[in-house]
Amino acid sequence: MQGPGHDHHDGHSSSGGHDSTYEPTQSQPNYFQIPNFSKEDRYNPNAAYNLAPAYTFPKGLALPIAKNFDYQSFIKTTWANNTETNETGQGLPLYIDLPNLASEGSFQWDSFPAGEAQQFLTFSVDQDTINDKDLYNGENNGETPVVLDALSSSKTQRPFTISLTVTPYNAGPIPHIHWAEDEWFILLQGEMDSWIGDPLDEPYELNEFPEGSEPSDEYYSGKVITSDNIDTFYYGHLMPGQSVYLPRGHAHAYRNASPSGDPLVFLTIWSRTPGYPEGGIEEFFTLPDPRIGYFFDTSNDAASFGNLNNKNIGSETGIENQQRFVDYFNTFPDYHVAMSRNFGSFADPNSAGGNWNPEIPNDTAAISTPPPSYWSKTSQTPWLTEEDDPDSSPFYLPPAPNAPSDYVDFSTPFDPTVVQTAEYTYVGPSSKKGRRSFVDSLEQLHDVISTSDGVLNSYLLQKSSQSTDSPSYVIQSTYETYSALSALQDSSEFEETASDLLKVSELDVANNTVNADVGSESNGQVLVGVAKVKPRHFEEAVALSANFMDAVNEQGLSVQSDFYVDSNNPNTLVFIESYSGGSQVNQYLTSTAYNQFASDFGPMLKTGQLASRDVVIYPVNSNISQFYPEQVAGTKQLTDILKSMPDLMLSLQVDEKFVIPTNQTKTNDVGGYLAIKAKVPSPENLTYGYLTSEDSSPKILFEQPKAMKNNRFLKQVNHRMIPFISGDQLRFFASAQSAADITDNGLVESEALFLNPADAKTSKKSVKFDGLTVSLDSPTQGLSEVSSSIQMDAPGVVDLVQIPRRTLSGEFHLLDSTGTHLHDKKVGYGLFELIDQSGSIQDPLTGKSISPNQSKRFGEALASLEDQDALAEADPANHKSFSVEGGALYAPYLKINRKFYTPFSKEFSQLGENSFAFQTTDELYITSMDLLMSGQLPVLA
């Protein structure tokens, strides 16, 4: 398939082989030049490249169980990824959670030669296709067999591969093209710099290579078509929760750009595009010959093996990994992927550059000595091989961390403004009552739209003359961002109102996405003009406008023009005109028809001048302005692809005892999270929890003191996420015992009320008991769940052990029993550090451990800690903000009149995730804590 701009010829290009290999030298001054891109640039919330679409997992979608994805097995520090000290082997933060299982000796983590680690959660092909290969155990040189247990999606309409990917700081793959596969990233932890091929360029098709990146005859005998149609990339900076869609045929790359040096964690999804050869990318990554796949037991081991930054050039492991680069480059085309041989311009063989990285505050130094361009298998010093050596082979260069490129565009068109025209035509019963109800519904919908966040303006319009039986109205709205429009359309209020309206009307919608390049002739133009007319001239103005619009459309002065009467503002006309481009706008403004209209219409306006109209001309619908809508469409397509696999789709089954999350295939190899919320205030103090059929020890969900009064507030604080594996049997209870009593002494069944699911209101996604609601939620969780899950076994303990070497920021809220925020400066609250889960602290004066049972000494020690500013105290003058050092256990406290209340006193209740209640002599106080990550507040102080 050829497209514009292609320069094709079959066979290998004349510039292939050694001639096309860029040879870096230390004498080239710009080889490691760092581009001018400040910290403020990167984190500017208004910058377009920070506005990638968010991805929301469908409720009830599961993920396969990951093996050895926990803090103990996670990435550790090396000199290359430690941005603060020279210590190595220290734990790095892991502040997300997904279904996982510790499984020593499973060897599921694959090593990339650029330092990434990945674990396959699903295959596009059947399992035997992969496991019948001689998979290589990199941990013990192949002595122990490797069996990958990813689920197969091969029976779905569009098979897909999911990889859980962990990338150390500053690492990332070389630019590459998937000829046959769409790809998606969903960010879970860290921050990513990504480069997305310009969608205006023609996509590369099968066997098309950028000039200078063709594999050599020595290694690859397949078809080669040289092309130069991709050379521009859009930069995107992605935060947790955001996603990017990478359509087939377009080049892309990424790197871990977390400012604190944290490992990057994300899901990668590949899916072969219909019409292209069937198969999966995992067939390449598991190749035994050449040996591409090296499998390890942990992400740390896999990433360490593949990281070139910790290898000495010329060492055995260095050569082994550099050989893998050569094998990647020459073998990938057999699996419909082409990699760049260079790192600046994808298609320019003379280009320097790396992954085009803008500087981040704590960037490690660039690779001190550029790796060799040529090497020889037969030489004892292969890294010293010269180009003219008869045994030389072109080397595949690892990326330089901070090399610039002239081919990256930072004006990425994420999340543009949208000008929407929605016309509703009545088709309901031919009755006055039906038409009146239609207008009432329109007014209600317009109220919903006009009061929604991100709506710049909205008008409810009617035509000046229209059919009595089939009236037509237009809602004309301008949304600040496309995501604001999407959020509105996803809201329950909009859906309910619009669905009622569509039962009696037909809808015609035009969404015009705005492009900032006003002067581009590729833009269409949309004019929205509002004119306030003198009341005595209104009818005359309507007739004049009707004649003018007819003339404009008949003479081809616009693509389409019309005018309307504003239903909410008397004597106001709104003009909506669309043009093919700037030249047609000029033709319109210089036409006889327009000038005559301006002369006649101006005096009728309240100001007496046509120039007083409120007119905005939007440049719209250029090809590039469709970039973000295509990204949004890509994320929706991903959801459909994931939901097509029965193994991943969950429902809730019940019997007289248990709630059982189950997937459609009735297997126990996927998992997710249940959201538990309180329903009604309790007339007595109650503790809610659950048991599993596999574990008799009770888990605490939350306590509900009878003093709490606001049902809506209860749902906010009495809330917890609990993990499960499909097939788990969960039995919920309410008890008069306190959470601390249950934790210390066990559940007294005579005081417990076991909730009967058979008596509850059930659906496929929720079970509603009298006291609480259980519902399916997202398969991934963030910092709130990671830091609070310990509270199911140790009420009041905040677990920040998994987030070492970080100063976390957050907010504490002080509330009363109704949920009203308090601003009482006499009340102190915050966190104090623990030695263990039982609540012991270290006496700052003696260094000895003090148990909370030693109440007097415990209080004195807390007072001493306060005197030394060693408490993480909320600052009432700064929106209750606080900061706390990660890597330790903490507990909340409340202080009134020099008395400390803690979770280890009888006055304490565990309300939910990081929400706590303290019953004082006077009243019930509630403290609720939010920890904020980068994107809101930086992880690093």
Side-chain angles (χ1 to χ4, degrees), residues 51 53 413-419 454 479-489 511-514 625-633 636:
L51 302 177
F414 279 138
D415 218 2
T417 297
V418 180
V419 181
Y479 298 86
E480 185 175 11
T481 61
Y482 199 104
S483 57
L485 170 59
S486 298
L488 170 65
Q489 292 175 331
N511 287 329
N512 297 287
T513 49
V514 176
S625 72
Q626 296 304 306
F627 176 79
Y628 186 78
E630 288 177 0
Q631 287 286 313
V632 173
K636 291 180 178 178

Side-chain angles (χ1 to χ4, degrees), residues 574-622:
V574 177
F575 296 80
I576 303 174
E577 305 165 14
S578 60
Y579 304 91
S580 60
S583 60
Q584 191 177 41
V585 173
N586 290 333
Q587 181 186 7
Y588 163 83
L589 293 174
T590 57
S591 67
T592 302
Y594 173 78
N595 284 289
Q596 184 62 52
F597 172 73
S599 175
D600 296 338
F601 188 69
M604 299 180 185
L605 302 183
K606 285 188 175 181
T607 60
Q609 296 180 353
L610 186 66
S612 67
R613 287 191 306 166
D614 183 6
V615 177
V616 181
I617 298 179
Y618 298 95
V620 299
N621 300 343
S622 65

Side-chain angles (χ1 to χ4, degrees), residues 352-405:
N355 273 0
W356 322 301
N357 298 326
E359 181 183 12
I360 55 181
N362 301 303
D363 265 338
T364 55
I367 298 173
S368 56
T369 304
S373 294
Y374 298 94
W375 72 307
S376 170
K377 296 178 182 178
T378 60
S379 172
Q380 291 185 350
T381 55
W383 57 93
L384 298 179
T385 302
E386 298 293 335
E387 179 181 1
D388 56 3
D389 189 305
D391 293 327
S392 69
S393 298
F395 223 76
Y396 201 65
L397 308 180
N402 291 309
S405 172

Side-chain angles (χ1 to χ4, degrees), residues 491-745:
S491 69
S492 58
E493 187 177 18
F494 179 88
E495 288 180 350
E496 292 171 5
T497 309
S499 62
D500 290 342
L501 189 59
L502 291 176
K503 292 175 183 177
V504 294
S505 66
E506 292 179 348
L507 173 62
D508 182 17
V509 178
N511 287 329
N512 297 287
T513 49
V514 176
N515 180 27
D517 186 4
V518 178
S520 173
E521 192 54 41
S522 67
N523 293 325
Q525 307 280 336
V526 169
L527 179 150
V528 179
V530 180
K532 298 183 181 298
V533 181
K534 296 174 182 176
R536 66 180 183 274
H537 291 307
F538 187 71
E539 295 301 326
E540 185 181 0
V542 168
L544 181 65
S545 299
N547 292 332
F548 174 59
M549 290 290 98
D550 288 343
V552 168
N553 292 320
E554 288 172 3
Q555 296 176 30
L557 298 176
S558 71
V559 175
Q560 178 64 42
S561 293
D562 214 333
F563 80 102
Y564 303 87
V565 176
D566 190 332
S567 298
N568 294 325
N569 295 292
N571 306 310
T572 301
L573 301 180
V574 177
F575 296 80
I576 303 174
E577 305 165 14
S578 60
Y579 304 91
S580 60
S583 60
Q584 191 177 41
V585 173
N586 290 333
Q587 181 186 7
Y588 163 83
L589 293 174
T590 57
S591 67
T592 302
Y594 173 78
N595 284 289
Q596 184 62 52
F597 172 73
S599 175
D600 296 338
F601 188 69
M604 299 180 185
L605 302 183
K606 285 188 175 181
T607 60
Q609 296 180 353
L610 186 66
S612 67
R613 287 191 306 166
D614 183 6
V615 177
V616 181
I617 298 179
Y618 298 95
V620 299
N621 300 343
S622 65
N623 291 332
I624 199 58
S625 72
Q626 296 304 306
F627 176 79
Y628 186 78
E630 288 177 0
Q631 287 286 313
V632 173
T635 61
K636 291 180 178 178
Q637 181 186 42
L638 173 61
T639 296
D640 293 339
I641 289 173
L642 296 176
K643 291 171 68 173
S644 71
M645 187 173 177
D647 306 68
L648 303 185
M649 294 309 298
L650 296 164
S651 62
L652 295 180
Q653 309 294 319
V654 299
D655 60 22
E656 292 185 353
K657 289 185 177 180
F658 299 109
V659 175
I660 309 165
T662 309
N663 65 352
Q664 293 180 9
T665 52
K666 309 296 182 183
T667 59
N668 61 352
D669 43 22
V670 301
Y673 285 83
L674 292 174
I676 317 295
K677 291 186 178 182
K679 286 186 62 179
V680 294
S682 172
E684 56 182 321
N685 295 333
L686 285 178
T687 301
Y688 287 90
Y690 73 99
L691 300 163
T692 69
S693 59
E694 303 296 327
D695 185 0
S696 60
S697 60
K699 301 288 185 183
I700 303 301
L701 293 172
F702 45 73
E703 294 176 281
Q704 194 181 111
K706 63 182 179 181
M708 296 179 66
K709 303 168 184 177
N710 184 321
N711 187 33
R712 179 173 293 183
F713 176 56
L714 274 177
K715 291 180 181 180
Q716 293 174 353
V717 294
N718 286 168
H719 172 269
R720 188 166 296 285
M721 309 298 297
I722 61 175
F724 67 84
I725 293 175
S726 54
D728 279 354
Q729 296 180 318
L730 308 174
R731 192 178 191 190
F732 295 91
F733 65 82
S735 173
Q737 289 179 269
S738 68
D741 186 27
I742 294 173
T743 300
D744 294 339
N745 304 308

